[in-house]
Amino acid sequence: ISYARERQWQQRAGGEWGPGDPQVFARHLFDGISEGGADLQREFIVHVRKEYRCPICAYTRARTKRYPFIAIGQPDTPATLQERIHWYFDNEDGRTCTRCVYGRNMPCTRRIEQGPPHLLVNVKHDDTSDTTPPQMLRCPGPDDDIYQYQLIGAVVYSRGHFTSVILHDSEYWHLGDFDFRRAEPVDWQSVNMLVYNRVPPTSLDGMEHRPSKEDGRNFQSGGKRQEEG
């Protein structure tokens, strides 16, 4: 953030940041990773396979792209961050199949084909969103394997001000301008960026990979959402 201020990216009078500044800051950070050297990219770049598959004719459209982060969009209907992460990986509202006569919906799935040691998650939100993150993030990979990540920190944007939450001595702590204390639920509100470290991989073994509302393990999400575009 200090580096961004020095470059005067969207800096406002009086040192405050405007409503669009968190995304501007994140974009410049991600650009720096994408344009960095091979060593830096190996630490952060994630390979994501996005696939649409028709349940009737099995027609499939898929591609794999490299990203410096995972982007969790703002849904059209109220949803927690836990639910939005699930929808990122398994979204029932995909696109219409054009290959079969039924014109069925093709659900969209995303799978991490190559997970980096450090995973950045960019969260788009409004001030009323529940952005409490999972402490353990289980990302589906190929062949029913998963990439498992532990939350080590977050950048939080609220009312024109940036603060942080970090993992320290097995506890989460809030860092403000003048205080350092144990994090409270309100400190996760308006999370802008999450930072995860990869932990030893495990297998799904037939279990659902969806994170729970309590601790990031398994849950079944109700309802559907519209595609974010």
Side-chain angles (χ1 to χ4, degrees):
I1 294 172
S2 297
Y3 180 63
R5 287 185 182 277
E6 291 175 7
R7 293 290 299 270
Q8 296 183 345
W9 288 327
Q10 297 290 314
Q11 186 175 356
R12 299 294 188 265
E16 296 297 331
W17 294 71
D21 291 333
Q23 297 305 320
V24 173
F25 166 64
R27 186 171 67 249
H28 281 286
L29 173 64
F30 299 145
D31 287 346
I33 294 174
S34 298
E35 297 169 2
D39 290 341
L40 180 63
Q41 292 187 17
R42 277 194 295 269
E43 295 296 313
F44 291 98
I45 295 295
V46 56
H47 297 240
V48 179
R49 175 182 171 86
K50 184 177 182 180
E51 178 178 296
Y52 295 91
R53 183 178 178 85
C54 178
I56 301 299
C57 69
Y59 169 63
T60 301
R61 293 185 60 182
R63 65 175 180 176
T64 299
K65 295 186 66 176
R66 301 166 69 250
Y67 301 96
F69 64 98
I70 285 178
I72 305 299
Q74 176 67 30
D76 298 321
T77 56
T80 67
L81 179 55
Q82 307 274 356
E83 292 171 323
R84 291 157 60 187
I85 291 174
H86 159 59
W87 288 332
Y88 175 84
F89 288 109
D90 291 281
N91 189 349
E92 294 296 329
D93 294 329
R95 59 179 59 180
T96 301
C97 179
T98 59
R99 293 294 182 94
C100 66
V101 297
Y102 299 99
R104 293 292 297 273
N105 177 65
M106 300 170 64
C108 175
T109 61
R110 291 182 176 91
R111 298 293 180 263
I112 293 182
E113 291 196 338
Q114 184 174 332
H118 313 291
L119 181 67
L120 298 178
V121 179
N122 186 217
V123 181
K124 297 180 180 179
H125 61 82
D126 57 37
D127 291 337
T128 62
S129 299
D130 179 354
T131 54
T132 303
Q135 295 181 15
M136 195 66 68
L137 182 62
R138 294 162 59 87
C139 302
D143 301 324
D144 289 334
D145 288 335
I146 65 171
Y147 288 96
Q148 187 163 278
Y149 289 88
Q150 182 181 20
L151 179 66
I152 63 165
V155 176
V156 182
Y157 177 82
S158 179
R159 298 183 298 276
H161 190 65
F162 281 101
T163 59
S164 305
V165 178
I166 65 166
L167 180 65
H168 176 68
D169 288 341
S170 301
E171 292 184 295
Y172 289 99
W173 293 76
H174 174 265
L175 282 76
D177 288 340
F178 306 104
D179 63 343
F180 179 62
R181 55 174 172 77
R182 288 182 174 86
E184 301 174 359
V186 68
D187 295 326
W188 296 104
Q189 189 65 33
S190 302
V191 161
N192 173 235
M193 190 184 309
L194 301 170
V195 183
Y196 286 88
N197 276 357
R198 196 170 71 194
V199 294
T202 59
S203 175
L204 286 174
D205 292 330
M207 298 292 291
E208 293 287 342
H209 67 261
R210 302 181 174 103
S212 74
K213 295 179 180 178
E214 289 79 19
D215 62 2
R217 285 190 284 268
N218 306 310
F219 87 102
Q220 294 287 345
S221 172
K224 296 184 178 180
R225 58 157 298 187
Q226 295 182 3
E227 178 71 11
E228 294 168 10

